[in-house]
Amino acid sequence: MIELGAGTFTLNDELMFTNNGVTLRGQADGSSRLVLGNGFSTTSAAAVIDLEGRSNITLQHLTIDGQNRNDGATYGVYARNGSGHVVQNLDIQRLANDGSFGSVGVYFNGGVNDSSILGNTVTDIGVNDNFGSGIRVHGDSDRNVIADNTVDRTGRGGIFALGNNADALGSSSLDGLVIRD
């Protein structure tokens, strides 16, 4: 387990994990802040935290602040082809549109299964964007739980569950959802 103390941690590139089964935990009061440094750019990274190809990663009690930078991260947390993730009690805020797909607070983009997105607050994500959203679960991602999240001020919408069949959620579930405009 990696535990961050209170403070602001500046990232000049996306945070990626080289191993499975890692927990990154901040302080319960949200005082562990990840912000984008001057070297952070969408030409080198699209996500603040990238879980692609990893499994059993737990992220808890972190604030991710994109600082409304148009050249900053497109995604707060991005995952593809993994399972068993827990994204819990994060405060993801101020991700601006970079002019491409659109900003997303938490994005499970295909092949993410048996994972949870719980108790997060996602605000000011792609506010003036056609595709900005708080949480997006997409493409063959099954048995995920999205519960007790608050989404406020996004471009297109709060939570998207998209798939290739009529039941876009598959066997995933939404519970305790709060969306504000």
Side-chain angles (χ1 to χ4, degrees):
M1 179 174 65
I2 302 166
E3 187 159 350
L4 297 178
T8 299
F9 301 88
T10 302
L11 301 175
N12 286 314
D13 204 348
E14 64 189 348
L15 181 60
M16 300 176 75
F17 295 88
T18 56
N19 294 313
N20 295 322
V22 175
T23 295
L24 176 62
R25 181 178 296 147
Q27 298 300 299
D29 65 0
S31 61
S32 303
R33 298 176 52 81
L34 303 177
V35 299
L36 307 183
N38 291 332
F40 203 105
S41 165
T42 53
T43 59
S44 63
V48 177
I49 300 176
D50 189 340
L51 308 179
E52 185 166 1
R54 296 288 161 230
S55 291
N56 302 308
I57 303 294
T58 298
L59 305 172
Q60 295 176 315
H61 304 295
L62 300 166
T63 296
I64 297 173
D65 187 348
Q67 302 169 313
N68 283 325
R69 288 179 40 183
N70 288 334
D71 65 340
T74 304
Y75 315 120
V77 176
Y78 177 85
R80 182 176 177 86
N81 298 325
S83 64
H85 299 307
V86 177
V87 178
Q88 184 176 27
N89 297 322
L90 303 187
D91 181 359
I92 302 171
Q93 56 188 253
R94 301 192 310 160
L95 295 173
N97 179 20
D98 69 350
S100 63
F101 176 74
S103 298
V104 181
V106 178
Y107 190 11
F108 286 1
N109 183 20
V112 180
N113 303 306
D114 305 306
S115 297
S116 300
I117 303 170
L118 307 169
N120 302 288
T121 300
V122 184
T123 57
D124 297 316
I125 308 297
V127 173
N128 295 315
D129 182 15
N130 290 332
F131 292 99
S133 60
I135 297 169
R136 185 179 180 107
V137 177
H138 182 92
D140 298 325
S141 293
D142 292 315
R143 298 176 308 278
N144 296 298
V145 176
I146 303 168
D148 302 320
N149 297 283
T150 299
V151 178
D152 193 11
R153 295 183 307 274
T154 64
R156 185 175 184 188
I159 297 176
F160 288 90
L162 307 168
N164 295 327
N165 53 40
D167 180 12
L169 281 173
S171 55
S172 300
S173 66
L174 295 171
D175 188 32
L177 175 64
V178 177
I179 299 177
R180 297 186 178 111
D181 57 343

